[in-house]
Amino acid sequence: MHTRLYLAALFGSLLLASCSSDSETPSENSVQEAIHQQYDLSLSEELAVFAPLPDQADNPDNPTEVNKSLLGQALYFDKRLSKDGNISCNSCHNLATGGVDNLPTSPGDAGENGDRNSPTVLNAALHFAQFWDGRAKDVEEQAGMPILNPVEMAIPNEEFLVNRLKEIPDYQVMFSAAFPNDDDPITYTNLRLAIADFERQLLTPSRFDDYLKGDKSALTVQEKRGLQTFISSNCTQCHTGVLLGGHKFEKFGVYGDYWKWTGSENQDPGLFEETQDSLDLYRFKVPSLRNITETGPYFHDGSVADLRMAVTIMAEAQLNRQLKPNEVEDIVAFLGALSGEIPAWAQQPAP
């Protein structure tokens, strides 16, 4: 039975009880509890498309080790990883603001902006690929690419940065501790492994995870109603799994040109730029919805600042559905339950 029918039956029974001379008027708490129970019942079979965030984001080829993670943390915040020392990894993926810089596109070392929005680094290690076009297979590969990008961190080549790091006494000690079996531990490969090891610690369990694990009090009535609307509106065609996204590519603009909704000045071809396959035109990696309330502006070009507008656009462009204002509000409320915090120790440079 649909949730609305459950609730209609519930209110009907409560009304009859309140009109009976032998019954007391139900308390507000009992009504709320009954509403919670009906939503929980109606959602119980629908939750299988999601999964709780794991405790770790392991990579057997880059096992987590404390000294390696601490080195990665130091490198993540170090502006010396950019040519002129103006930006660090944290500049575009600020751990104090949801793992992003909240800009449509990010300025690089020389102040020139890139052409795509910087996605959050939080939970990124669990994505099936990295970047909007998936050109890196994992965070180990991704970690080394912005450093050498001429528009981003602008380091001219790997040797340039390795030589710079070898002149820093602290890094001589930290690389040796992180890679004790290497005769020459300060290498570009080890730099990538260390940064990725740190990024694999940036998981953000949320109240939604508590709900999936059985804590029915973890979500409010509105959040449960938003979850039900999210599912019934078929948002789960793309936003499922552990990350509610981050596991496949999808065309942006299934029911029309995306830029007609977003007002994008640049018509980004998406994955097509990498594959030159016409089937990949305007396809992008489906973003994770975790921490989405903190990671605006939205879409691959940061063209939409308001989350409510982004939800409305996605319904129209991807599902050919016009959501009512109250449905949008409920979905946004649910999305708020997907936010979590990284450990406090990870939000600043390693000591």
Side-chain angles (χ1 to χ4, degrees):
M1 186 184 295
H2 192 278
T3 300
R4 287 190 176 90
L5 296 181
Y6 274 124
L7 295 178
L10 167 69
F11 285 123
S13 63
L14 290 174
L15 180 61
L16 288 174
S18 66
C19 292
S20 172
S21 59
D22 297 327
S23 303
E24 295 182 0
T25 302
S27 68
E28 182 177 346
N29 288 341
S30 65
V31 172
Q32 286 296 311
E33 179 61 28
I35 294 173
H36 273 286
Q37 291 176 1
Q38 294 299 337
Y39 274 119
D40 295 336
L41 181 62
S42 67
L43 289 166
S44 60
E45 295 183 1
E46 307 287 350
L47 297 179
V49 298
F50 307 110
L53 201 69
D55 294 330
Q56 294 179 304
D58 294 328
N59 178 0
D61 296 326
N62 184 28
T64 293
E65 196 277 324
V66 172
N67 288 325
K68 192 196 322 178
S69 183
L70 288 173
L71 170 61
Q73 183 179 6
L75 292 166
Y76 187 88
F77 286 91
D78 196 337
K79 293 184 177 181
R80 289 173 291 189
L81 269 63
S82 61
K83 182 175 181 293
D84 295 327
N86 293 318
I87 63 171
S88 68
C89 302
N90 193 65
S91 298
C92 300
H93 305 282
N94 192 337
L95 300 185
T97 55
V100 300
D101 57 9
N102 296 124
L103 297 173
T105 59
S106 303
D109 189 52
E112 180 183 357
N113 280 54
D115 55 5
R116 286 178 180 159
N117 178 259
S118 296
T120 180
V121 71
L122 303 182
N123 308 299
L126 296 172
H127 286 232
F128 86 113
Q130 304 298 313
F131 297 112
W132 284 99
D133 55 17
R135 64 185 181 274
K137 65 178 182 179
D138 53 30
V139 289
E140 282 76 12
E141 185 174 2
Q142 184 276 335
M145 296 173 73
I147 296 172
L148 302 178
N149 187 304
V151 178
E152 297 180 58
M153 302 176 85
I155 293 292
N157 54 65
E158 294 180 7
E159 184 180 10
F160 179 96
L161 181 56
V162 168
N163 289 337
R164 175 182 286 183
L165 296 178
K166 284 184 174 181
E167 296 176 356
I168 302 171
D170 285 346
Y171 279 134
Q172 294 172 12
V173 174
M174 295 185 77
F175 270 90
S176 294
F179 301 97
N181 298 322
D182 291 11
D183 294 334
D184 183 17
I186 303 181
T187 67
Y188 201 76
T189 295
N190 286 347
L191 172 145
R192 291 190 297 102
L193 294 174
I195 293 175
D197 189 0
F198 170 63
E199 291 181 344
R200 288 183 177 279
Q201 316 306 312
L202 305 180
L203 304 183
T204 60
S206 67
R207 290 187 291 112
F208 184 55
D209 295 291
D210 296 334
Y211 187 72
L212 291 176
K213 293 177 181 179
D215 181 1
K216 301 309 180 184
S217 67
L219 301 185
T220 67
V221 166
Q222 186 181 21
E223 290 164 351
K224 292 176 183 179
R225 188 168 62 241
L227 171 57
Q228 198 279 330
T229 303
F230 183 87
I231 294 170
S232 64
S233 300
N234 291 324
C235 301
T236 49
Q237 285 186 12
C238 294
H239 296 285
T240 57
V242 170
L243 298 175
L244 289 84
H247 61 293
K248 67 173 183 174
F249 296 108
E250 186 58 73
K251 180 180 179 181
F252 187 15
V254 174
Y255 289 95
D257 298 331
Y258 74 79
W259 53 88
K260 293 181 179 179
W261 283 287
T262 64
S264 302
E265 296 181 4
N266 176 41
Q267 297 172 14
D268 191 325
L271 185 59
F272 173 81
E273 198 166 75
E274 291 294 310
T275 67
Q276 297 301 302
D277 185 337
S278 60
L279 295 177
D280 288 331
L281 192 60
Y282 311 129
R283 294 182 76 207
F284 299 89
K285 184 178 70 173
V286 175
S288 165
L289 296 184
R290 287 186 176 272
N291 302 294
I292 194 71
T293 56
E294 287 90 47
T295 57
Y298 303 104
F299 305 133
H300 64 274
D301 54 3
S303 54
V304 174
D306 182 70
L307 182 56
R308 290 164 179 79
M309 180 60 69
V311 169
T312 301
I313 289 172
M314 288 302 292
E316 294 183 5
Q318 305 304 105
L319 303 171
N320 197 28
R321 178 185 173 95
Q322 290 190 331
L323 294 173
K324 298 176 182 178
N326 63 298
E327 292 177 317
V328 173
E329 290 297 327
D330 289 344
I331 289 176
V332 170
F334 160 63
L335 296 178
L338 301 177
S339 290
E341 293 186 5
I342 61 172
W345 63 265
Q347 299 183 31
Q348 55 192 350

